[in-house]
Amino acid sequence: TNLFEKIQEKLFPFMKKALASCVTGSIIVVGFALGANMSLIQLFQGGLSGILLGVITSVVVGAITIIMDKVSGGSGVAGAAISSTAASAIANPAALAEIDPAYLVIAPIATSQIAASVIITSFLTPAITGFIYKRNQKKLEKTTISSETVIAK
């Protein structure tokens, strides 16, 4: 925990319990709001390039975030869990086209590609996260078994 969390816990101990119960509900509401305007049709509109964008995002960004999570002392699971294309990225091409009209022509295609990437990474990210978690559990079991063997000798 960081200093801010410690101060907050000391000054407002009731807040941790009150806010902890809101996390699941807020995830559901935000997830619904972001996904409400998406459909599987956008996966097909994004085409192979959109699907490839999603796979590349999961593999390349996944590798980078897993490595950075491990470098910073984590297990890699959190890094894997954040290696997706966020649904809010779908609005980026339209926002860019608003700023620079030169992008008006490609904004619809880019939007479809990003939507396809969001859909693909929404399936790949949990799979990669589960894989990393299970791999870490196996390593932990091997370490526990080998340390028990050393202790027994």
Side-chain angles (χ1 to χ4, degrees), residues 50-100:
I51 293 169
L52 188 59
L53 178 64
V55 172
I56 290 171
T57 299
S58 290
V59 173
V60 175
V61 174
I64 292 168
T65 56
I66 290 167
I67 290 167
M68 294 311 294
D69 184 26
K70 287 183 176 185
V71 166
S72 64
S75 65
V77 175
I82 63 167
S83 64
S84 67
T85 305
S88 60
I90 294 172
N92 290 351
L96 186 59
E98 287 287 323
I99 294 170
D100 187 350

Side-chain angles (χ1 to χ4, degrees), residues 21-33:
S21 63
C22 300
V23 172
T24 303
S26 64
I27 290 172
I28 292 169
V29 170
V30 170
F32 177 77

